[in-house]
Amino acid sequence: MEQYESDRLTPARTAAARRGPRGGRAFLSRRSLLRASAGGALAAGGIGALSACGIPPADRTAGGVSAEDHSTEEKIVNFSNWPVYIDVDDSGKRHPTLEDFTRQTGIKVKYTEDVNDNTEFFGKIKPQLAAGQDTGRDLIVVTDWLAARLIRLGWVQKLDPANLPHAFANLADHLRSPDWDPGRAYSYPWQGVSAVIAYNKKALDGIEVKSVSDLLDNPRLKGRVSFLSEMRDSIGLTLLDMGKDPAKVTDDDYDAAIARLQKAVDKGQIRRFTGNDYTSDLTKGDIAACVAWGGDIVQLQQDSPDVDYVIPEAGWMLSTDNLLIPNKARHKTNAERLIDFYYQPRQAARLAAYVAFISPVNGAREELARIDKEAAENPLIVPTKDVAARAHSFRALSDKEEAAYEAKFAKLTGA
């Protein structure tokens, strides 16, 4: 049975993948505060090995593998997404934007919320993709690190710009060319996820918090600070505070950031590293300040007036969940039309009003103002140009780097 180096995960990498940007984060709507997703267990075989002997090795050539496109005669698109990550009507059973897409195009959407965890989902689709078979899905949403892996393996198809005029025109500038998919040849963002600093005003009792340095160095916050168990967010914000660019991180930079956080752990400044469970501690005031995800903050503020946030002057971390078309998908053109539909500002605004994460669409702010003026003015949902200019992403890591970096972070956090 063949196994490629990029398919192997050390125990540290496995733990990191499962606690990663959406494996364990609450999926929030503006109607359903802190409704948690199902945290998927590592699928049988997982990333560690091909699920059955005899499966051909991955196609590592760029461009993916297309199939005969049945979009014309089969007016359907099979769409796999995360739970609570699309608009829902008051009955909780209908998705208004999907219904509008069907009315406009005649294309029905079979919508499935079966992406509960990046690693688990990779385990589901890997056997078919490795064997050059159709996964039964025309469109999937996965977090940037997994999107990068699928592109690197040659398991997703290159998009046809002719079917994506709105997407090409309206994609926000700061999301146009990640290092793992330059020019967005294979992916478009579904939503962006910010990592910033949140705090409880009552718990701070006048303490000023504006930067990561304030979290790490103010003795009045000892034991009342938490960081995220997502490596790229916690290390990324620490690097920015140190004047380093996460998009250009070196081994020495990374080790320096680990050392800075370790010092704070050793002296009891950092209480713990968390997934989405920091939200309860923050609202109760058990945690005074923390590294937090923007979508969580938007939702918490609806019922918790003491919760607020700051976007550090040094910058904030941005990750994305991304739309991709797997190899051998039967309805590629239909899937591209659905991607393009959500890049119309009105549809993007309807989606953003519900999910409260970062809209990747230029023009969404103006449309959102007609639906929810407060949301339109919230930079955690639609970043202003100034805020967007301070967004940073962690660079794509090689397999060797990822294994080493995650092992060091696991040691720091006790994972």
Side-chain angles (χ1 to χ4, degrees), residues 114-410:
D114 62 342
V115 189
N116 292 313
D117 174 276
N118 282 293
T119 301
E120 179 192 43
F121 187 68
F122 183 69
K124 288 181 184 179
I125 63 176
K126 177 181 174 183
Q128 294 99 323
L129 291 173
Q133 299 171 353
D134 179 13
T135 66
R137 300 167 176 87
D138 301 305
L139 192 61
I140 61 175
V141 178
V142 297
T143 305
D144 44 21
W145 66 265
L146 181 54
R149 176 183 291 274
L150 292 171
I151 293 169
R152 188 167 64 244
L153 289 169
W155 286 354
V156 292
Q157 298 187 53
K158 184 171 285 190
L159 301 172
D160 184 351
N163 294 327
L164 297 160
H166 295 101
F168 181 80
N170 295 330
L171 176 61
D173 291 344
H174 63 287
L175 296 171
R176 283 191 174 269
S177 196
D179 60 355
W180 49 268
D181 186 17
R184 293 287 180 180
Y186 298 91
S187 69
Y188 269 90
W190 175 248
Q191 296 289 284
V193 182
S194 60
V196 296
I197 294 173
Y199 56 87
N200 184 302
K201 290 179 282 189
K202 185 179 293 186
L204 282 182
D205 192 25
I207 301 171
E208 186 174 68
V209 169
K210 291 186 176 180
S211 68
V212 169
S213 290
D214 292 331
L215 300 185
L216 297 178
D217 300 332
N218 191 325
R220 293 175 62 191
L221 294 177
K222 182 176 179 179
R224 299 195 294 145
V225 168
S226 68
F227 276 63
L228 292 171
S229 55
E230 163 49 35
M231 179 271 283
R232 288 166 176 79
D233 289 336
S234 288
I235 294 292
L237 283 174
T238 303
L239 286 166
L240 289 171
D241 193 69
M242 297 168 66
K244 303 293 185 179
D245 185 353
K248 300 176 182 178
V249 60
T250 66
D251 290 350
D252 288 343
D253 294 338
Y254 187 85
D255 288 346
I258 287 283
R260 188 170 187 212
L261 290 172
Q262 186 66 61
K263 182 179 178 181
V265 169
D266 292 344
K267 69 181 183 180
Q269 186 77 7
I270 296 176
R271 181 169 178 167
R272 63 190 182 113
F273 292 82
T274 76
N276 69 279
D277 48 324
Y278 71 86
T279 55
S280 176
D281 289 340
L282 182 64
T283 55
K284 290 187 295 184
D286 293 342
I287 289 292
C290 61
V291 175
W293 285 304
D296 293 352
I297 299 168
V298 173
Q299 295 299 329
L300 290 173
Q301 286 182 320
Q302 294 183 53
D303 287 351
S304 302
D306 290 327
V307 172
D308 208 344
Y309 71 95
V310 63
I311 299 173
E313 281 297 324
W316 54 283
M317 293 303 296
L318 172 66
S319 60
T320 53
D321 291 325
N322 307 276
L323 296 151
L324 301 100
I325 299 175
N327 284 355
K328 299 292 184 177
R330 286 178 62 87
H331 311 106
K332 181 174 184 286
T333 298
N334 291 346
E336 289 168 337
R337 292 184 69 182
L338 183 57
I339 294 172
D340 199 61
F341 173 82
Y342 279 104
Y343 272 80
Q344 297 176 54
R346 180 172 179 269
Q347 310 306 339
R350 294 169 70 191
L351 181 62
Y354 191 89
V355 302
F357 285 95
I358 296 174
S359 174
V361 179
N362 286 330
R365 179 191 300 275
E366 293 76 14
E367 293 291 337
L368 185 57
R370 297 173 183 154
I371 303 170
D372 186 335
K373 185 176 180 181
E374 184 179 350
E377 295 174 353
N378 191 328
L380 295 178
I381 298 176
V382 187
T384 62
K385 287 185 178 180
D386 174 64
V387 170
R390 286 185 278 153
H392 296 265
S393 296
F394 212 96
R395 72 170 172 84
L397 301 175
S398 69
D399 295 307
K400 184 178 179 181
E401 287 175 324
E402 189 173 7
Y405 286 15
E406 287 291 1
K408 292 174 181 178
F409 191 69

